[in-house]
Amino acid sequence: MFAKILIANRGEIACRVIRTARRMGVRTVAVYSDADAGALHVGMADEAVHIGPSPVGESYLRGDKIVAAALATGAEAIHPGYGFLSENPDFVDQVTAAGLVFIGPSAASIRAMGLKDAAKRLMEKAGVPVVPGYHGEAQEIVLLASKAREIGYPVLIKARAGGGGKGMRRVEHPDDFSEALSGARREAKAAFGDDRVLVEKYVDKPRHIEVQVFGDSFGNVVHLYERDCSAQRRHQKVIEEAPAPGMTPALRKAMTEAAVKAAKAIDYSGAGTIEFIVDASQGLKADRFWFMEMNTRLQVEHPVTEMVTGTDLVEWQLRVASGEKLPKAQSEIALSGHAFEARIYAEDAAKGFLPATGTLHHLKFPDTVPEGASMRIETGVRTGDAISPFYDPMIAKLVVQGKNRQAALEALGISLSQTEIAGSTVNTAFLAALAADADFSAGDVDTGLIGRHQQALTAVPPPSSEIVAAAALAASGAGAQAPTRDPWSSLAGYAHFHAMARRTRLRYGEDDILALVSMRPDGRFQVALDAPYDSALDLRAAPRLARWPGHVTVFSGAVGYSFAVPDPLARADEIAAGADSLRAPMPGLVKLVRAAKGETVIKGQPLLILEAMKMEHTISATHDGTIAEIATEGAQVTDGTVLVRFAEEAHG
C-alpha cells in the first residue's frame, strides 16, 4: 500500500478521498488555488501545495504543476477525483512518465472510451447494444443534417468529448438543426476543447441507468449493480438512487453482463461506470437498453452504491492501484436496502437553475434520521466558506439509506427539511419538492420528469405572516443581540404603562415590509405587520432562523426565506435594474453578441450569450426597443453587471 498520495482535486471529493486514506494509514497531499487557500480539503490533508491562481486553467488543470507537487512532497501516487484531469489520458502519461502511479485506469483505456463516437463503435464490436445514431468522423453540417433525417426526429446532438450535459441539444424539427448544432459545438469547444459531435435518436421516455464496474490488473472485473440517475435538470443529475426503481431480474442480468463485457473489452482497471439509456415507454425490458458512454473515473454519485453494497470504492481504488487484486469476487457482492443521493447546489431553481455565489454564513445539516435509516453528508465546505464563480457550485451531497425505497425516500425528505443554509440561494426546496413529487415517489422516473414538472417543483410559496413576523422579531434585536443569546432577549426591558415597541423594516424580493415589534407583560412578543400582510401576531417560541450581515433567514421545512434588513442610516439604493437595462444573472463570460448599438430589437429576440460554469445562457430582449449600449464579446462580467441598456424613448 502507498505511504503517501496526492489528490489532484478540490472540495467534496478531495475531502472524501482524504477520509478513506486517513483510515487506511495513508498520508495525503492536497493542492490548492488562490481561491482555495483556506478550503476544508487543505486543512484536512497532511500537507498542502499551492499550484496557482483561481481559474482552473491556471491551477487544477495544470498537470505539470500537480506532478511537480507530488514529486516535491514524496507522494507515490496521484488520485484524480472526478472532473478536472480525471479522464485526461495525457495527464496519466505525465504521471507515469514521472515514475508515479495514477490511481485510475490506464491512458489507453481512457482514450478508448474518451470520445463517445469511437467508444460506441468499439462497443458495437464487443457486442454491447448501442443507441441508433451517427457516430462517424465526418462533421460537415450537410452530412450531419442528412443523418438526422435518416435517424428520424427528434434527435439528440451530443458533444463526442466530455459529459455533464455540456454540448448537448435536443432537436425536434429539421429547421432547428443548424442553430442547435452551432450552440452544441460552441459549448463543447468551451468545455472540452473539441467541437465535434454525434447525432442519435432521441428516446421518447428515457431512463438513465448506469452500472458501477471495477477491474484490477489481473483481468478481473466485477459489477456493483446499478444506479438510476434519471432525475436530471439541463442534462445534469440531481437525485440519484440505487438500485433502480422497477428494475427486473432480466434487465439487471443483461445490463450488468453488458457492463462487465464493456470493461473487459478495454482491459479496464479501477473504478468505472457504464452509462446506459433505457427506453421505459413500455416498462423496463431486457432488449430496450443501449450503451451511452463510459466514465473512466469515480462518479459523483458513488456513495449510493457504497451504501447498498457495503463497500468503500475509494479504498478499492487505492488497493487496486497499489497492485492488489479486487477485494471481493462477484458472488460476494450483494444488494442491501435502498439509497438516495441529493446534490445540494448554490443555484436558483426558479430562474432556470442559474448558478449562484455567496458566503455560507449559516450551514447546518441534520443530526439524526428516522429509526432504521442511515445518512452521510459529503461536503467540502463549512460555515463561513464562499461559493466561488470559478468552480462547480455544489455545496454538499446528502446521502440516505433505508430498508426499502419508501423508507429511504422518507429519510431523504426529512433530512432535506432539516438542512439549513443561509448566505446563498440554494436548491434544497426544489430537492424536497422533487422527493415528494407523486411520479418520483412512485418510481415513475425518466430524464424528462423535472422538465415536465419544473414550474411546480421550483415554485416557492410566499412567506406566511408567521415567517415574516419571525424575521421582523429577529431583525428588531439585531443591535443588542450577543452571539450566544437568543434573538428575542434584546427587547426585554422595563416599560411603565405600555409595552416597549420597536419599528423595523425588512425587504423580501421587491417588497418592503414595515413591522412594529413590542414585548407583552406575559413575555410574549407582538408583531404588527403592514400590507400586504396586515396582521398582528403573538410569538413566544423561536423558529429555525439564522442572522447574518444585513439579513435574516427563516427556515420552514426545506425552504429558507431570506429577508434583507436595511440599514436605516444608509441611503436607499436608487439605482435598480429596471426596464431600461438587462443585467447579468450570474458571473460569466460574454461569449457571443447578436445585436449592436443602435439596433431596433423585438421582445424575445436573443441579444447575447453568457457563458457560466461552461454552460451557455441566452439573454433575450424583455420588450421592443432600441439598444443604447451592449456588452462586448469576451467581456468577463460579475453578477448584476449591465449587459444591455435600452434607449429611454424606445419602450412604452
Side-chain angles (χ1 to χ4, degrees):
M1 180 51 59
F2 307 114
K4 182 189 291 188
I5 64 171
L6 180 142
I7 303 163
N9 218 295
R10 63 176 301 279
E12 170 268 323
I13 186 57
C15 295
R16 163 74 186 89
V17 175
I18 291 170
R19 284 196 299 272
T20 288
R22 180 181 295 161
R23 179 177 58 78
M24 297 176 67
V26 177
R27 293 177 60 80
T28 55
V29 180
V31 293
Y32 64 94
S33 67
D34 289 347
D36 282 339
L40 181 59
H41 76 280
V42 174
M44 286 180 63
D46 297 299
E47 301 173 59
V49 179
H50 177 252
I51 54 171
S54 301
V56 294
E58 301 176 51
S59 52
Y60 295 107
L61 292 180
R62 287 291 302 272
D64 56 337
K65 291 186 176 182
I66 291 170
V67 169
L71 294 173
T73 55
E76 302 159 81
I78 294 180
H79 193 301
Y82 52 71
F84 294 145
L85 296 169
S86 62
E87 294 181 283
N88 186 319
D90 295 335
F91 177 61
V92 179
D93 287 337
Q94 277 184 287
V95 172
T96 55
L100 302 168
V101 176
F102 181 77
I103 302 175
S106 67
S109 293
I110 295 176
R111 286 191 174 96
M113 289 296 190
L115 299 176
K116 294 185 180 73
D117 52 355
K120 289 182 178 181
R121 293 194 295 269
L122 177 62
M123 290 298 99
E124 285 181 306
K125 292 180 181 178
V128 177
V130 174
V131 67
Y134 172 71
H135 310 129
E137 290 287 346
Q139 293 287 299
E140 293 81 5
I141 185 172
V142 174
L143 174 66
L144 294 175
S146 68
K147 291 296 182 182
R149 289 180 181 274
E150 290 177 17
I151 296 165
Y153 285 88
V155 298
L156 197 62
I157 301 173
K158 298 171 65 175
R160 75 170 196 160
K166 299 177 179 67
M168 185 180 295
R169 297 290 190 278
R170 176 180 174 176
V171 191
E172 298 283 350
H173 192 274
D175 292 344
D176 302 323
F177 187 84
S178 178
E179 179 74 12
L181 177 63
S182 297
R185 280 177 164 167
R186 280 195 310 272
E187 203 166 86
K189 184 70 173 179
F192 317 119
D194 185 343
D195 66 356
R196 287 170 290 183
V197 301
L198 48 85
V199 183
E200 294 180 342
K201 176 66 179 174
Y202 185 84
V203 179
D204 289 331
K205 190 175 182 181
R207 289 269 295 272
H208 179 131
I209 301 177
E210 59 189 34
V211 176
Q212 177 73 58
V213 294
F214 220 108
D216 62 24
S217 57
F218 299 90
N220 302 306
V221 177
V222 297
H223 69 79
L224 291 95
Y225 300 96
E226 80 281 352
R227 298 183 290 257
D228 194 302
C229 306
S230 301
Q232 302 179 6
R233 87 283 188 272
R234 299 173 64 175
H235 305 294
Q236 294 182 315
K237 302 164 186 176
V238 176
I239 295 180
E240 304 97 342
E241 60 182 300
M247 176 58 71
T248 65
L251 178 57
R252 175 173 289 146
K253 182 176 185 296
M255 190 174 285
T256 54
E257 287 179 353
V260 170
K261 187 185 297 183
K264 286 186 174 181
I266 57 171
D267 298 320
Y268 196 78
S269 177
T273 297
I274 311 296
E275 297 190 347
F276 295 102
I277 188 168
V278 182
D279 183 355
S281 59
Q282 299 177 14
L284 298 182
K285 297 185 177 180
D287 62 347
R288 303 294 291 170
F289 75 95
W290 302 279
F291 171 88
M292 282 198 302
E293 62 182 310
M294 182 178 188
N295 292 126
T296 52
R297 54 170 168 79
L298 197 66
Q299 292 280 84
V300 177
E301 59 273 19
H302 76 273
V304 294
T305 294
E306 294 183 322
M307 295 285 260
V308 297
T309 60
T311 57
D312 183 332
L313 295 179
V314 174
E315 178 181 342
W316 281 35
Q317 285 186 300
L318 296 182
R319 293 195 179 282
V320 166
S322 67
E324 297 182 22
K325 289 186 177 181
L326 286 174
K328 290 185 178 181
Q330 189 66 67
S331 60
E332 299 175 287
I333 304 171
L335 281 172
S336 176
H338 201 100
F340 286 95
E341 174 184 285
R343 301 189 189 190
I344 300 175
Y345 281 98
E347 65 180 13
D348 193 335
K351 294 183 178 179
F353 304 102
L354 291 180
T357 55
T359 299
L360 301 175
H361 291 284
H362 178 82
L363 183 63
K364 181 182 177 183
F365 296 109
D367 298 322
T368 60
V369 289
E371 186 177 355
S374 58
M375 176 188 64
R376 64 192 254 195
I377 302 294
E378 300 284 354
T379 186
V381 296
R382 63 213 148 175
T383 299
D385 285 352
I387 302 300
S388 165
F390 295 105
Y391 313 118
D392 184 273
M394 187 168 69
I395 295 172
K397 302 183 309 195
L398 192 156
V399 191
V400 297
Q401 182 187 25
K403 62 182 179 181
N404 53 41
R405 190 175 190 271
Q406 188 56 43
L409 194 59
E410 179 184 350
L412 178 64
I414 291 173
S415 298
L416 286 168
S417 71
Q418 295 175 347
T419 297
E420 301 176 4
I421 304 174
S424 177
T425 303
V426 295
N427 68 338
T428 48
F430 160 71
L431 293 171
L434 177 58
D437 177 82
D439 288 344
F440 187 85
S441 296
D444 185 15
V445 294
D446 63 80
T447 59
L449 184 148
I450 291 176
R452 293 192 300 272
H453 300 184
Q454 186 165 331
Q455 185 172 357
L457 293 174
T458 58
V460 176
S464 65
S465 295
E466 289 78 8
I467 290 172
V468 177
L473 188 53
S476 68
Q481 181 192 348
T484 58
R485 296 168 60 196
D486 68 88
W488 327 122
S489 60
S490 61
L491 285 179
Y494 174 76
H496 191 58
F497 292 114
H498 54 80
M500 296 181 66
R502 181 175 298 180
R503 185 182 300 271
T504 188
R505 289 186 178 275
L506 301 171
R507 184 177 297 116
Y508 182 77
E510 301 298 320
D511 296 333
D512 286 312
I513 305 166
L514 177 63
L516 191 66
V517 181
S518 57
M519 183 175 182
R520 298 167 57 96
D522 62 2
R524 290 181 297 167
F525 297 91
Q526 185 175 73
V527 182
L529 302 172
D530 279 357
Y533 300 96
D534 287 326
S535 59
L537 298 96
D538 289 345
L539 299 179
R540 182 185 295 273
R544 297 161 55 214
L545 59 83
R547 296 184 59 202
W548 45 289
H551 295 80
V552 172
T553 298
V554 180
F555 300 100
S556 177
V559 184
Y561 293 95
S562 290
F563 298 83
V565 184
D567 182 349
L569 300 179
R571 294 181 59 188
D573 182 6
E574 298 177 354
I575 303 174
D580 291 331
S581 63
L582 298 176
R583 296 178 182 258
M586 76 204 88
L589 174 73
V590 179
K591 190 71 174 180
L592 184 67
V593 175
R594 293 184 167 182
K597 181 178 179 179
E599 181 179 341
T600 299
V601 297
I602 61 173
K603 181 178 179 180
Q605 179 177 335
L607 303 181
L608 55 83
I609 292 175
L610 185 68
E611 179 187 282
M613 307 294 180
K614 298 299 183 182
M615 299 289 283
E616 292 187 352
H617 308 270
T618 300
I619 306 297
S620 301
T622 53
H623 55 74
D624 297 351
T626 301
I627 295 177
E629 297 177 32
I630 191 166
T632 58
E633 281 188 18
Q636 189 76 42
V637 298
T638 59
D639 186 8
T641 299
V642 174
L643 298 175
V644 180
R645 196 181 302 279
F646 295 95
E648 292 185 6
E649 69 277 10
H651 65 89

